[in-house]
Amino acid sequence: NEPSEQLSFSWTAPLASDGCKLTLGGVVTTGGGAQLSFGGSFRVRNAAPLGSFSALELTGTGERELVVVSVSTLSCDPEAGTAEALGIVSVDGGAPQAFRLDVLDTGEPGSADTFRLRVTGALDTGTQTLSGGNIQLHKAQ
């Protein structure tokens, strides 16, 4: 007869932005003090979001590898310099989990770009400014 709680949430995916293209690579320090290095690219072609992305989280006790399995949407706002990707990621080759990636491209050379990666039940980097690397939101062609 112990009290308990249950929490559920959902991310509402915006429509994919046709022609959107995002390339990113860099390093951030998470809110928990771990170092996360990442790289990849996302794009929307003929209304189909595609992506290849991986990240390596280094903590004081070990490391975790995150690899995107599929992308359900990529939404871009070139005027604001923002992009949002949602999909499925694998953590250390384990069961698929939902992810959400939010980035801000502040221009070149990327010294003020921001990055936030959330993986259900596994990780939330918090919004972090890159300590190295670059995020590039490309104009639709």
Side-chain angles (χ1 to χ4, degrees):
N1 293 336
E2 292 293 319
S4 65
E5 287 186 28
Q6 186 172 4
L7 175 66
S8 66
F9 69 93
S10 63
W11 289 318
T12 302
L15 295 176
S17 303
D18 208 23
C20 177
K21 182 178 178 187
L22 171 67
T23 55
L24 64 163
V27 177
V28 295
T29 300
T30 69
Q35 187 176 56
L36 185 86
S37 57
F38 60 90
S41 64
F42 297 92
R43 72 173 2 162
V44 179
R45 185 181 298 153
N46 299 324
L50 309 164
S52 172
F53 177 85
S54 63
L56 183 64
E57 181 187 30
L58 301 175
T59 66
T61 58
E63 62 184 46
R64 289 193 295 183
E65 183 180 30
L66 300 98
V67 177
V68 165
V69 175
S70 65
V71 181
S72 58
T73 193
L74 174 63
S75 177
C76 299
D77 183 344
E79 289 186 27
T82 60
E84 174 184 344
L86 283 82
I88 302 296
V89 68
S90 172
V91 179
D92 288 332
Q97 298 176 56
F99 82 89
R100 176 177 173 161
L101 174 67
D102 295 282
V103 297
L104 172 64
D105 178 4
T106 61
E108 300 312 313
S111 58
D113 293 349
T114 64
F115 172 96
R116 182 175 187 185
L117 177 62
R118 289 174 270 188
V119 178
T120 303
L123 175 71
D124 184 350
T125 64
T127 301
Q128 305 298 330
T129 301
L130 272 59
S131 56
N134 196 11
I135 294 171
Q136 289 189 309
L137 182 56
H138 305 271
K139 294 186 191 249
Q141 306 211 25

